[in-house]
Amino acid sequence: MATISAALSISFLPPATRLAVSAVSSTRLKRAARFRCCAEPPSPEQETPAPPAPPSSLWGVSTSIWTTGVAGLGLLETGYLSYLKLTGSEAFCPVGGGGCGDVLDSDYSVVFGIPLPLVGMVAYGLVAALSLQENGEELLPGLDDLDIRLTLLLLATSLATASAYFLFILNTKFVGTSCIYCLSSAFISFTLFFIRIKDIGLARIQKFVGLQLAVAVIVALALTNSYSSATTQLKGTDDFVLEPYKIEVTAESTPFAISLARHLHSIGAKMYGAFWCSHCNDQKQMFGREAMEILDYVECFPNGAGKGKKMANECAATGLEGFPTWVINGKLISGDKELSVLAEESGFASEVPEQS
């Protein structure tokens, strides 16, 4: 339309003026044509952005496949533990007896009112979905390769931080308790973390260290806030009251047991127990009647157990997670122990044989 309007306007000009305008227009058109002909089309490299770097491999297998497999194991474990937690079933503990159940039934198995295994199951499921997306599956549209890899790195950082926090809880609050599921979950989380580090590469990971530290601090603070009011509770006692009773120690004390009891008393060692605890009664029978009168024994439920009953303040402040628990030289030792073990832990040496 602009060309037609220009031609019509030129046609109404005087001949001399028309010739001059035509010459100028012709020159401009030639320059434009020359510009169009001389301008080179953009190269294919300029039109198409460089493709993202492919995921690295580990022992000939891509890190996305490794991530999917390891996250799948975590999903199976947390799914099983979620089922136990939601149904109130007892955990199968191949190693360590009932230690797994003690941890799963404690206050530390819940985060902000949500069962911890359920949180882990969601996290592992998200990791598995993202790693499948990284491997070519279109499960979560709208995410590019960089978004996926960075999200997986931060999720792995969160899981590793939480696992390190829970290992600290296990070693401070559940002394002497063996929890195979806790250890296997930590192994899975740390494995995912190192796989994602391998995927990003040590050279590029330095760009995200600050972000990783921020995520780790947030996770640690959130867990600390959630567990700030965690206490030891007697499972299944919300609907009844168990009045305290006393079981008489009938076994006679050996000279070794009496000497050990005097030594434990002299160093300030204490045995914390509960009247309803069969292992506590077994421990008392090992020492015998005379030795138990010498030992410093603390009953943690002197007013009974159940609804409206609380643990003794001394026991709650000690951080007990099971009974019996010995405190010897500042160290918490959970479970009923042989006299020889208690003698070794307390540094007791006697010329009287244990069997005498």
Side-chain angles (χ1 to χ4, degrees):
M1 290 298 293
T3 304
I4 296 174
S5 301
L8 291 174
S9 62
I10 291 173
S11 63
F12 289 105
L13 294 174
T17 306
R18 186 188 308 166
L19 179 61
V21 173
S22 300
V24 173
S25 300
S26 176
T27 302
R28 290 178 177 175
L29 291 173
K30 288 180 180 180
R31 289 178 180 174
R34 188 182 302 117
F35 175 79
R36 287 194 299 268
C37 293
C38 295
E40 295 182 358
S43 62
E45 291 78 4
Q46 295 174 338
E47 289 183 348
T48 306
S56 60
S57 61
L58 185 64
W59 294 316
V61 180
S62 68
T63 51
S64 60
I65 297 296
W66 276 108
T67 303
T68 304
V70 175
L73 292 176
L75 191 61
L76 289 175
E77 184 198 33
T78 52
Y80 169 67
L81 295 178
S82 297
Y83 167 78
L84 296 179
K85 187 67 176 177
L86 295 176
T87 60
S89 304
E90 293 292 334
F92 170 71
C93 299
V95 179
C100 306
D102 294 339
V103 178
L104 190 60
D105 296 329
S106 70
D107 282 357
Y108 295 96
S109 64
V110 178
V111 179
F112 296 111
I114 303 173
L116 183 61
L118 193 59
V119 176
M121 186 174 67
V122 172
Y124 284 123
L126 184 57
V127 170
L130 287 171
S131 57
L132 287 173
Q133 175 99 355
E134 184 184 27
N135 199 42
E137 301 290 338
E138 291 294 334
L139 300 178
L140 302 171
L143 294 176
D144 59 23
D145 183 73
L146 181 59
D147 292 336
I148 294 173
R149 296 171 78 172
L150 180 58
T151 303
L152 283 172
L153 176 64
L154 296 181
L155 279 173
T157 302
S158 302
L159 289 168
T161 303
S163 293
Y165 190 96
F166 295 138
L167 288 178
F168 171 77
I169 293 294
L170 185 65
N171 286 293
T172 56
K173 302 295 185 180
F174 297 88
V175 179
T177 301
S178 176
C179 178
I180 187 64
Y181 297 111
C182 307
L183 299 178
S184 61
S185 181
F187 175 78
I188 291 172
S189 298
F190 289 128
T191 301
L192 277 176
F193 177 72
F194 288 118
I195 289 175
R196 299 320 302 178
I197 292 291
K198 176 67 171 60
D199 174 71
I200 298 294
L202 294 178
R204 298 179 60 192
I205 200 65
Q206 299 176 3
K207 301 178 181 179
F208 308 110
V209 168
L211 189 58
Q212 287 181 278
L213 289 176
V215 170
V217 169
I218 291 173
V219 170
L221 290 177
L223 291 174
T224 302
N225 182 55
S226 175
Y227 295 147
S228 60
S229 60
T231 57
T232 303
Q233 297 178 352
L234 183 59
K235 179 187 175 184
T237 59
D238 294 336
D239 299 328
F240 69 91
V241 174
L242 188 63
E243 296 297 335
Y245 57 86
K246 186 176 181 179
I247 296 180
E248 183 181 358
V249 179
T250 58
E252 294 185 2
S253 300
T254 63
F256 179 83
I258 295 175
S259 299
L260 176 59
R262 289 172 177 167
H263 170 72
L264 292 173
H265 174 74
S266 66
I267 64 174
K270 292 183 179 181
M271 172 186 170
Y272 294 86
F275 65 91
W276 43 263
C277 170
S278 60
H279 294 284
C280 301
N281 294 322
D282 292 341
Q283 185 75 88
K284 293 175 183 179
Q285 297 293 345
M286 289 184 193
F287 274 94
R289 182 174 54 256
E290 296 82 3
M292 282 304 304
E293 293 178 357
I294 302 172
L295 278 175
D296 293 322
Y297 173 76
V298 179
E299 173 58 54
C300 291
F301 292 89
N303 299 320
K307 187 175 182 180
K309 304 296 184 179
K310 295 183 179 180
M311 182 187 296
N313 292 333
E314 181 180 353
C315 300
T318 307
L320 308 178
E321 292 294 341
F323 301 105
T325 295
W326 288 89
V327 178
I328 301 176
N329 296 327
K331 180 181 178 182
L332 272 70
I333 305 173
S334 296
D336 50 327
K337 304 298 181 182
E338 295 292 336
L339 300 187
S340 58
V341 175
L342 295 174
E344 181 179 354
E345 291 288 346
S346 62
F348 173 67
S350 174
E351 297 179 356
V352 180
E354 180 181 359
Q355 300 298 328
S356 61

